[in-house]
Amino acid sequence: MTAATADDATRRDFLYVASGAMGGVAVAAVAWPLIDQMNPSTAALALSSVEVPLDSIQVGQGITVKWRGQPLFVRRRTPEEIAKARAVDVASLPDPLANNDSLPENAPATDANRTTKPEWLVLKGVCTHLGCTPTISTPTDVQGEYGGWLCHCHGSQYDTAGRIRKGPAPRNLEVPPYAFLSDTRIKVG
Amino acid sequence: MSGPSTYNPKSGIEKWLDTRLPLPRLLHDTMNTFPTPKNLNFWYVFGGILTFCLAVQIVTGIVLAMHYKPDAALAFGSVEKIMREVNYGWLIRYVHANGASMFFLAVYIHMFRGLYYGSYKAPRELIWIIGVLIYLLMTATAFFGYVLPWGQMSFWGATVITNFFSAIPLVGTHISTWLWGDFAVGDATLNRFFSLHYLLPFVIAAVVGLHIWALHVPGNNNPLGIDVKSPQDTVPFHPYYTIKDGFYLVLFVIFFSLFVFYAPEFFGNADNAIEANPLVTPPEIVPEWYLLPFYAILRSIPNKLLGVIALGAAILVLAFIPWLDTSRVRSCRFRPTMKWLFWFFVVDCLILGYCGSQPVDAVLAGIPLVLVARFGTAYYFGFFILLMPLVGLFETPKPLPASISQPVLGE
Amino acid sequence: MTHLPLRLALAGSLGLSLAFGAASAHTMDTHRLPPKKEEFSFEGPFGTYDRGALQRGFQVYKEVCGACHVLQHVAFHNLSEPGGPGFSEAQAKGIAAGYKVPAEPNDKGETTDDKGERLTRPGIIADYFPNPFPNENAARANNNGNLPPDLSMIVKARRGGPQYVYSILTGFHQTPPKGFTVTKDKYYNPYYEGWNIGMPPPLQANSVSYTDGTRATVDQEARDVATFLAWASEPKMEERKQMGFSVILFLLAFAGVLFAAKRKLWADVH
């Protein structure tokens, strides 16, 4: 083989490799929009945080709002409920971790770590067992033994800080990321 | 698929597979070593381009169906949501919408190429007829698809086209009602059109498989229209035609991209940006450009039933071309009369298309366009039914080269 | 459809009436005039929206057009997205809060109050611009039987696009040609098909007071709102043109490499 034909072969191989590489780049570039279109749209993202006005909630009451397609519990606790939640020994809990998205993962499940302001308890209303929505106790209609929530699907019982106390659920009700915009308004998400 | 296979399985897995499901052998024989005439010119790249178009339409269509809602109350809004809210939704929809036009552009070039080089003649009649079937399926799919955005033109286009069936004596109105699922185009119609629009592309893909299978038995025709005589006349499909088709495919994609990114509404109609309103008909109902010649044929005939029959016949006649053409020579390169008649036919289709795009009562340079369309229609049918059989009998073809390699070797 | 200038249209109808006798002498070609040849920054392959015009145009929409016209497909969060008017998220939130949108059913599942009025709440960025009228009938009843069209698609939905919108807005207050009668409760506007438009002249000088000091002439307001509505019709236009530029550049390079490979490969085939 002469030097010229060897050069020729190299040039040809280079062109083939370059063509193949550019084809690969093109396919990858096309793949991204096709994948990304399945991610939440800007409409879904615009709903990824909600603002909840608190001024209409009386002590001892709560509301349920929709956040990211799931129920969100916002509860204004009575002093008794707070005291009851604080009296619990964290070590005795089935799930000793706070499960608060605003705190480190290993934060203990003290009542203080479950709230930002003691009076206000903000929880994702999704049972950590299999995703049902637990029901809240009221003075006339007590749910479970701990004065908090009872999940009717499989009987998980949560206390007045939303911590799991009895039943199959493995974790405390999740505290979503939220912040107080003012004394009477929070932003969740 | 035809002729002895040159596939030689090397690895253990290939041998194992070859005795069970010889897929690698099929791919090797059809896409790798397949002997292809070496003189295929530019006009032969559109087969590959069409495969690409079909793939693009299916992929973008599946994606759009993830966001689209086939409900008369929601459809229009869901399309706008795709355009505004879904990540890259505007891109995917513009590719799909302009892709339909690109698909038809490519298919028309492909069909005219087949017509010019006599690719429908024995032994390739079935390739051609399957091709006509693909074209019919494409037209139906495009029609169903155009209804889905549920704009004014979608709605009224659907109304006009489905009313064709009401021209059928006795049962016509029942057929229209059956197609609509209501007493007019409405929610039920939209929902079923969506179902069919999703189904038909996969039918097309299957028929394209048959088309390519039928092609691989006799092999490609070529611009000279003469048979392959020796291995010297051919080159292996890969890399010769993969690279060549690839190059032209990229050029085609550039052309495609210019529309998608810089003139996405070029083929669109402003009225389709208005949500469907069954109480208001737009001043002019114009079909998509690729149906305009047929629309002109329909309108050139003053009788409703006859117009619809002419429309159907204009497509159906294509299936009989292999027997209407009586010439012994395939390629128009060697047919001095047919060559001219062919180019007249191309111009005729363009004129018919122009007539179809204009209002019924339009006048150009003092001539009513409906008259022009009538002459155009006459030539359209005359070309196939009279000229093709007669010219084939009386024309003296130019002498054919001895082989594909000969004209080059003779130089 | 003829798009001839008015003079030619009149001449044409005169010619027709001569040709076909006196019977058609009363018909007049009232096809709309071609839109004015106004130029906009967002035209052409590299054109972008003028942010100032978008923000001013939004103000015109909000304070003038929005009284009757909905902006159906635009959501408040679109206002702060790239390629748009360039409001901050806080501004978009403020704009949203200034609108009353239909409320979700309350605890009792009601959507109306004791008097049957629609319950409302302040808008949030995820909401779409609310309709100024509760339904089509109410819209017609308030507008002499005319339905003000949705403006979020108007630039796409009219031949002539932004120029059409601009021409309509600046096409009022002209003297109709002799022999043309303006219908009761309609207004003469030769850029509108049929020349009788149901919309009263919407813009006056100083219809809005611009915060950036721009003088609010009718012409300026019309240009600004046409720009804003062009964006409302196609909020992804800038992204589209930018992406197109890189895509085509890449494809040209790709085509070049493939062409070289093809030429090299086929050089040996005779």
Side-chain angles (χ1 to χ4, degrees):
Chain A
M1 195 184 274
T2 65
T5 56
D7 255 17
D8 238 31
T10 319
R11 198 170 116 83
R12 199 179 58 211
D13 287 345
F14 167 75
L15 287 170
Y16 287 174
V17 171
S19 303
M22 291 187 89
V25 170
V27 169
V30 166
W32 175 241
L34 294 175
I35 294 165
D36 193 36
Q37 54 87 18
M38 281 171 73
N39 276 320
S41 67
T42 53
L45 292 178
L47 276 173
S48 64
S49 66
V50 294
E51 290 181 18
V52 185
L54 305 176
D55 34 13
S56 62
I57 306 171
Q58 304 300 316
V59 175
Q61 291 188 338
I63 57 168
T64 304
V65 294
K66 208 165 120 184
W67 176 63
R68 295 189 183 174
Q70 291 179 319
L72 182 81
F73 298 148
V74 182
R75 191 154 182 82
R76 189 171 183 181
R77 300 188 293 178
T78 60
E80 300 78 56
E81 285 171 337
I82 300 170
K84 205 171 156 191
R86 302 218 147 179
V88 179
D89 174 17
V90 174
S92 72
L93 292 169
D95 176 16
L97 296 176
N99 201 14
N100 183 339
D101 291 342
S102 312
L103 296 176
E105 262 184 48
N106 57 1
T110 58
D111 186 64
N113 278 346
R114 297 280 296 162
T115 54
T116 305
K117 291 185 181 180
E119 197 178 28
W120 295 100
L121 183 62
V122 180
L123 299 169
K124 250 174 100 168
V126 178
C127 181
T128 57
H129 180 218
L130 291 169
C132 296
T133 300
T135 315
I136 181 66
S137 293
T138 60
T140 51
D141 180 20
V142 178
Q143 302 280 342
E145 301 159 27
Y146 301 93
W149 286 265
L150 168 70
C151 181
H152 286 279
C153 288
H154 305 94
S156 292
Q157 296 185 27
Y158 298 89
D159 66 13
T160 54
R163 293 172 297 201
I164 181 67
R165 299 298 286 274
K166 200 173 183 181
R171 304 205 62 190
N172 300 328
L173 287 176
E174 186 183 337
V175 179
Y178 71 96
F180 279 83
L181 298 175
S182 68
D183 280 347
T184 57
R185 201 170 180 85
I186 55 167
K187 182 184 175 181
V188 185
Chain B
M1 290 185 189
S2 64
S5 175
T6 55
Y7 179 66
N8 184 18
K10 287 178 203 80
S11 68
I13 289 181
E14 284 177 304
K15 281 181 187 141
W16 186 87
L17 207 56
D18 197 49
T19 49
R20 288 162 178 83
L21 180 69
L23 200 60
R25 178 181 295 276
L26 178 76
L27 290 176
H28 178 86
D29 292 345
T30 56
M31 299 185 63
N32 196 358
T33 57
F34 186 66
T36 312
K38 63 186 185 183
N39 62 334
L40 301 188
N41 59 17
F42 166 74
W43 304 105
Y44 280 79
V45 303
F46 287 91
I49 286 174
L50 283 163
T51 316
F52 170 80
C53 286
L54 179 62
V56 167
Q57 292 306 86
I58 289 181
V59 169
T60 52
I62 289 172
V63 164
L64 290 171
M66 293 181 188
H67 305 281
Y68 173 76
K69 297 184 175 70
D71 178 315
L74 305 174
F76 190 84
S78 74
V79 172
E80 274 314 302
K81 215 165 167 186
I82 290 169
M83 296 299 288
R84 293 157 190 269
E85 311 272 13
V86 173
N87 303 323
Y88 298 104
W90 61 270
L91 174 65
I92 294 161
R93 170 155 185 256
Y94 277 153
V95 168
H96 196 74
N98 287 285
S101 284
M102 294 299 131
F103 205 160
F104 274 94
L105 183 69
V107 90
Y108 283 134
I109 297 175
H110 193 64
M111 288 162 78
F112 280 124
R113 190 271 290 150
L115 211 50
Y116 187 81
Y117 293 125
S119 303
Y120 48 81
K121 292 183 76 69
R124 297 186 182 83
E125 303 93 324
L126 270 180
I127 310 176
W128 176 265
I129 291 170
I130 293 170
V132 173
L133 180 64
I134 295 171
Y135 174 69
L136 264 176
L137 287 167
M138 274 175 68
T139 314
T141 311
F143 162 66
F144 292 137
Y146 194 63
V147 178
L148 303 185
W150 209 237
Q152 276 287 67
M153 214 40 90
S154 300
F155 181 88
W156 291 99
T159 300
V160 169
I161 305 246
T162 47
N163 264 312
F164 288 171
F165 294 93
S166 69
I168 301 168
L170 298 173
V171 290
T173 47
H174 297 288
I175 292 179
S176 293
T177 311
W178 174 77
L179 283 172
W180 294 328
D182 206 329
F183 300 101
V185 173
D187 188 60
T189 324
L190 176 63
N191 216 153
R192 63 191 58 184
F193 280 12
F194 175 65
S195 167
L196 293 171
H197 183 68
Y198 204 117
L199 166 72
L200 287 185
F202 298 98
V203 178
I204 294 177
V207 182
V208 165
L210 295 181
H211 191 63
I212 297 172
W213 187 6
L215 171 71
H216 279 77
V217 178
N220 282 80
N221 183 30
N222 63 81
L224 296 173
I226 56 176
D227 291 328
V228 167
K229 300 229 165 62
S230 69
Q232 237 191 339
D233 293 346
T234 64
V235 289
F237 187 78
H238 178 76
Y240 288 92
Y241 283 105
T242 41
I243 295 268
K244 185 178 177 177
D245 286 4
F247 167 64
Y248 286 110
L249 174 63
V250 172
L251 289 191
F252 182 81
V253 175
I254 293 174
F255 179 73
F256 191 162
S257 302
L258 286 174
F259 285 101
V260 168
F261 294 107
Y262 293 106
E265 301 286 350
F266 181 82
F267 297 109
N269 187 307
D271 280 314
N272 229 27
I274 304 170
E275 190 165 358
N277 183 349
L279 304 180
V280 181
T281 311
E284 282 170 42
I285 299 173
V286 191
E288 289 282 80
W289 69 267
Y290 41 79
L291 299 177
L292 288 175
F294 298 112
Y295 191 54
I297 290 175
L298 169 84
R299 289 196 312 188
S300 70
I301 291 167
N303 177 290
K304 183 177 176 181
L305 178 60
L306 290 179
V308 173
I309 289 174
L311 175 73
I315 298 178
L316 203 65
V317 71
L318 299 174
F320 295 95
I321 291 178
W323 296 280
L324 287 168
D325 183 1
T326 51
S327 171
R328 286 167 298 109
V329 174
R330 291 197 189 103
S331 173
C332 277
R333 272 198 192 171
F334 305 102
R335 303 186 60 189
T337 316
M338 198 58 196
K339 189 185 211 164
W340 279 103
L341 296 176
F342 168 83
W343 285 111
F344 278 138
F345 178 72
V346 174
V347 173
D348 183 52
C349 289
L350 295 176
I351 291 174
L352 280 174
Y354 175 74
C355 293
S357 73
Q358 298 300 307
V360 210
D361 50 357
V363 173
L364 188 74
I367 309 163
L369 279 184
V370 69
L371 204 67
V372 178
R374 270 181 206 154
F375 279 111
T377 304
Y379 186 76
Y380 184 96
F381 285 107
F383 175 73
F384 291 122
I385 296 169
L386 289 174
L387 297 176
M388 266 201 168
L390 292 178
V391 171
L393 292 177
F394 297 111
E395 182 185 46
T396 317
K398 289 195 228 168
L400 297 177
S403 76
I404 291 172
S405 302
Q406 191 237 13
V408 186
L409 291 173
E411 274 169 15
Chain C
M1 192 180 293
T2 54
H3 297 296
L4 298 165
L6 178 58
R7 284 175 288 114
L8 287 178
L10 286 174
S13 59
L14 184 70
L16 272 178
S17 50
L18 286 174
F20 293 98
S24 58
H26 298 290
T27 61
M28 183 180 272
D29 184 359
T30 56
H31 280 315
R32 65 181 172 106
L33 297 190
K36 299 178 185 176
K37 297 218 174 344
E38 191 73 6
E39 279 175 19
F40 288 96
S41 66
F42 50 84
E43 293 172 310
F46 298 101
T48 54
Y49 296 117
D50 172 347
R51 305 275 160 246
L54 282 180
Q55 296 204 357
R56 290 192 301 272
F58 170 66
Q59 193 184 347
V60 176
Y61 165 76
K62 184 172 182 252
E63 293 175 16
V64 183
C65 323
C68 300
H69 292 274
V70 65
L71 202 60
Q72 204 178 336
H73 300 290
V74 178
F76 293 109
H77 65 87
N78 294 144
L79 294 171
S80 63
E81 278 163 11
F87 288 114
S88 68
E89 199 179 323
Q91 282 173 310
K93 231 159 117 178
I95 291 166
Y99 280 86
K100 292 253 173 274
V101 301
E104 288 73 23
N106 63 15
D107 297 342
K108 296 174 200 148
E110 300 158 338
T111 53
T112 50
D113 66 11
D114 300 344
K115 295 193 186 84
E117 296 285 327
R118 193 78 173 79
L119 291 172
T120 59
R121 60 167 172 79
I124 57 170
I125 53 166
D127 287 318
Y128 291 79
F129 276 84
N131 199 321
F133 301 106
N135 55 44
E136 185 182 326
N137 285 343
R140 285 189 189 279
N142 278 284
N143 289 285
N144 287 322
N146 305 305
L147 179 68
D150 161 43
L151 289 189
S152 63
M153 297 290 285
I154 200 82
V155 168
K156 261 194 185 180
R158 296 290 181 275
R159 280 178 208 103
Q163 280 83 5
Y164 173 83
V165 172
Y166 171 83
S167 305
I168 290 285
L169 292 174
T170 55
F172 288 95
H173 305 300
Q174 298 185 37
T175 320
K178 252 180 111 112
F180 178 78
T181 5
V182 182
T183 315
K184 185 179 172 292
D185 294 329
K186 299 261 178 179
Y187 302 84
Y188 173 66
N189 194 325
Y191 298 99
Y192 186 74
E193 187 65 24
W195 297 357
N196 272 312
I197 191 168
M199 173 171 71
L203 300 177
Q204 275 80 42
N206 302 313
S207 285
V208 292
S209 58
Y210 286 138
T211 48
D212 63 358
T214 309
R215 258 189 63 212
T217 59
V218 171
D219 186 73
Q220 183 69 41
E221 292 163 0
R223 270 189 71 86
D224 290 344
V225 82
T227 304
F228 173 72
L229 294 178
W231 168 80
S233 266
E234 242 219 299
K236 303 289 183 183
M237 184 208 72
E238 291 187 6
E239 191 183 346
R240 163 163 71 75
K241 289 177 179 174
Q242 280 159 12
M243 188 187 289
F245 185 71
S246 351
V247 165
I248 288 170
L249 221 57
F250 171 82
L251 287 173
L252 285 173
F254 192 10
V257 171
L258 278 171
F259 179 72
K262 171 185 161 292
R263 210 172 51 166
K264 191 97 203 111
L265 175 68
W266 282 82
D268 306 332
V269 181
H270 295 294

